[in-house]
Amino acid sequence: MSPLIRPMAPGDAAQAAALEARVPDSWSEESIRETLAEGHCCVAEADGRLMGLCLCGLVLDEASIYAVTVAEDMRRRGVARAMLQWMLAHLADQGAKTVFLEVRAQNEPARALYRALGFTQVGLRRGFYRDPADDAVLMKKEL
Ligand SMILES: CC(C)(COP(=O)(O)OP(=O)(O)OC[C@H]1O[C@@H](n2cnc3c(N)ncnc32)[C@H](O)[C@@H]1OP(=O)(O)O)[C@@H](O)C(=O)NCCC(=O)NCCS
């Protein structure tokens, strides 16, 4: 299975929101649509099915990754890695020099993913998350 990574289109928002609804701190369809209008978003698709999404913002040369989510039954197959590689190249093309993100301290799969892509920890925000309570690890990558 080799997913197609492509820019998110308005018609993807409902399926993207359905994927998001299954993870903590999920993005609503409305907030996905707003980010799509103002930011940089991509999806992973195979056989017409949307299996992952990545939402980002860019201000001047500083980008932020807001969300990376892959369908439960498609995890550990390189889908998130492929989306992030696509997105980092796209953001660099758009003038980004630095990329930041926040991740739950207890979310080891996501922290491992970001480390594998060259992100390093640059800060810790204690008690940042609720439901469930957790610290936020701030990570950064220079492009
Ligand atoms: C985190 C998440 C996006 C990873 O997606 P994925 O498609 O399964 O990740 P990939 O298969 O591309 O993994 C790439 C690398 O990340 C790391 N990784 C991913 N999942 C991991 C896990 N469960 N345990 C340890 N390392 C993991 C590994 O280094 C992996 O490389 P490898 O498979 O060669 O060892 C996915 O688990 C998810 O959607 N989680 C719920 C939403 C979420 O937490 N998003 C992040 C919010 S900041």
Side-chain angles (χ1 to χ4, degrees):
M1 186 262 337
S2 169
L4 167 73
I5 313 297
R6 60 165 176 79
M8 186 185 282
D12 297 318
Q15 269 194 81
L19 276 185
E20 271 297 294
R22 304 184 61 84
V23 301
D25 318 307
S26 58
W27 285 61
S28 67
E29 184 172 338
E30 187 186 357
S31 49
I32 290 172
R33 286 188 189 283
E34 283 169 11
T35 308
L36 184 55
E38 295 166 10
H40 298 263
C41 308
C42 72
V43 295
E45 175 184 74
D47 301 328
R49 178 188 164 201
L50 198 145
M51 57 182 64
L53 65 109
C54 175
L55 309 178
C56 297
L58 176 62
V59 177
L60 301 177
D61 61 359
E62 202 174 288
S64 302
I65 296 177
Y66 302 141
V68 182
T69 300
V70 172
E72 281 122 315
D73 62 334
M74 289 293 162
R75 289 181 190 167
R76 289 318 290 268
R77 298 178 193 205
V79 175
R81 185 193 292 272
M83 285 194 299
L84 280 170
Q85 284 171 338
W86 184 99
M87 183 56 81
L88 293 174
H90 168 79
L91 291 169
D93 258 10
Q94 300 294 311
K97 291 199 165 51
T98 316
V99 186
F100 287 96
L101 61 87
E102 275 154 7
V103 56
R104 284 177 173 270
Q106 292 180 42
N107 190 348
E108 190 46 45
R111 290 180 67 179
L113 166 71
Y114 298 132
R115 281 195 302 270
L117 283 156
F119 284 83
T120 54
Q121 180 171 343
V122 291
L124 185 71
R125 296 188 172 129
R126 293 200 184 277
F128 183 79
Y129 290 107
R130 294 181 196 286
D131 296 326
D134 203 350
D135 299 333
V137 174
L138 180 63
M139 301 184 87
K140 173 183 169 182
K141 179 180 168 73
E142 302 287 351
L143 296 180

